[in-house]
């Protein structure tokens, strides 16, 4: 059970496909995050949205394109991915500086 | 560059043992230290957010201490149970571009054997 909902749970896509990952939270959190997590490594920050504006992009390749349509939704658009992009993609939200992150269960992405 | 280090990388204990592990972080410009518990096939769940030097927080059998001057935090588990098996992550926030981002350590993977 999580207050941050991610869909789909699993995704298999080819290198020429276009797909999107979705994340939703209704806790009124002002910050939302995308993290990438590969086996046996900690979550690696990709993007931060604060008040629906992109505030941090950790030099993520342009084949990953984030979007924040409103304060409750966060999308990650995927295009022309590589097999090495296969990973668990976690969305999270928080109220701010000294507040914990609330994570979704993640989308397990496999690029073939 | 902010480095958050955790040790040990993995730990095996017997049910009933008490255990602890360490998170170290740069003490300059500190403002918070987070602990998360991450069970396999689930999302990381926040345990504690600590901000004050000398702070100690407790949740059931799990507690944490914080030393911001020397840059370390300990997580303690008293009387470990198999359901405590998980990866324990610590993280420290930094400010970049007017927003906060958490920098995570690599985690300590705890296995409690029945």
């Amino acid at each position: 059970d999580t207050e941050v909902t991610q869909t789909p749970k699993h995704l298999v896509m080819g290198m020429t496909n276009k797909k999107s990952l979705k994340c939703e939270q209704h806790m009124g959190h002002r910050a939302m995050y995308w993290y990438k997590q590969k086996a046996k490594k900690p979550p690696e920050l990709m993007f931060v949205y604060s008040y629906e504006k992109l505030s941090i992009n950790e030099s993520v390749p342009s084949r990953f394109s984030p979007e924040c349509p409103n304060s409750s939704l966060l999308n990650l658009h995927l295009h022309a991915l590589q097999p090495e992009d296969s990973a668990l993609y976690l969305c999270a939200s928080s109220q701010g500086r000294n507040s914990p992150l609330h994570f979704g269960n993640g989308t397990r992405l496999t690029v073939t | 560059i902010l480095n958050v280090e955790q040790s040990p990388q993995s730990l095996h204990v017997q049910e009933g043992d008490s255990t602890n592990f360490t998170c170290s972080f740069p003490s300059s410009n500190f403002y918070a230290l987070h602990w998360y518990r991450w069970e396999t096939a689930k999302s990381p769940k926040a345990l504690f957010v600590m901000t004050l030097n000398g702070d100690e927080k407790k949740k059931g059998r799990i507690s944490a201490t914080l030393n911001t001057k020397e840059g370390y935090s300990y997580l303690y588990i008293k009387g470990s149970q198999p359901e405590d098996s998980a990866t324990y992550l610590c993280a420290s926030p930094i400010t970049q571009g007017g927003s906060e981002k958490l920098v995570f350590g690599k985690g300590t993977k705890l296995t409690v054997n029945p």
Side-chain angles (χ1 to χ4, degrees):
Chain A
D1 57 335
T2 175
E3 295 162 308
V4 177
T5 305
Q6 288 188 244
T7 55
K9 290 185 180 179
H10 301 274
L11 179 62
V12 180
M13 60 186 290
M15 289 189 283
T16 57
N17 291 159
K18 285 185 180 181
K19 296 286 184 183
S20 296
L21 309 185
K22 296 186 183 301
C23 176
E24 190 168 355
Q25 58 91 12
H26 294 287
M27 295 176 282
H29 288 173
R30 66 172 183 84
M32 294 186 77
Y33 310 77
W34 280 115
Y35 281 85
K36 174 182 177 180
Q37 193 266 330
K38 300 205 81 162
K40 299 185 181 180
K41 292 190 175 179
E44 209 178 296
L45 183 67
M46 299 175 73
F47 302 104
V48 180
Y49 272 82
S50 181
Y51 293 107
E52 303 168 46
K53 289 189 180 345
L54 181 66
S55 56
I56 295 178
N57 175 342
E58 291 287 287
S59 303
V60 179
S62 59
R63 57 186 185 269
F64 295 91
S65 174
E67 179 198 16
C68 189
N70 61 55
S71 60
S72 300
L73 294 175
L74 186 66
N75 298 324
L76 186 63
H77 302 298
L78 314 172
H79 175 55
L81 294 195
Q82 303 297 310
E84 59 264 29
D85 296 321
S86 299
L88 179 69
Y89 289 84
L90 289 165
C91 173
S93 69
S94 78
Q95 191 52 38
R97 168 177 279 211
N98 291 340
S99 299
L101 292 187
H102 293 249
F103 284 92
N105 284 331
T107 294
R108 175 71 61 187
L109 175 68
T110 303
V111 182
T112 60
Chain B
I1 296 176
L2 183 70
N3 289 320
V4 177
E5 305 285 344
Q6 290 188 248
S7 63
Q9 189 174 352
S10 64
L11 192 55
H12 291 253
V13 302
Q14 288 299 125
E15 183 175 355
D17 288 351
S18 292
T19 187
N20 66 85
F21 23 93
T22 308
C23 173
S24 61
F25 51 89
S27 52
S28 59
N29 300 317
F30 170 87
Y31 64 85
L33 192 282
H34 295 222
W35 280 102
Y36 292 84
R37 180 170 180 270
W38 195 2
E39 293 178 79
T40 303
K42 295 186 179 181
S43 58
K45 293 285 192 288
L47 288 171
F48 308 113
V49 177
M50 308 174 78
T51 57
L52 299 175
N53 185 43
D55 204 4
E56 181 170 344
K57 296 211 170 182
K58 189 175 180 182
K59 186 182 287 190
R61 293 178 292 97
I62 303 177
S63 61
T65 61
L66 180 67
N67 183 322
T68 61
K69 293 183 179 178
E70 295 182 42
Y72 64 83
S73 174
Y74 292 132
L75 190 79
Y76 299 90
I77 302 178
K78 185 178 177 182
S80 303
Q81 300 296 308
E83 56 265 30
D84 296 328
S85 298
T87 295
Y88 292 84
L89 294 168
C90 71
S92 192
I94 63 170
T95 301
Q96 179 178 319
S99 286
E100 299 82 35
K101 66 173 191 177
L102 275 185
V103 176
F104 283 89
K106 292 183 178 179
T108 292
K109 184 174 181 180
L110 175 67
T111 304
V112 183
N113 300 310

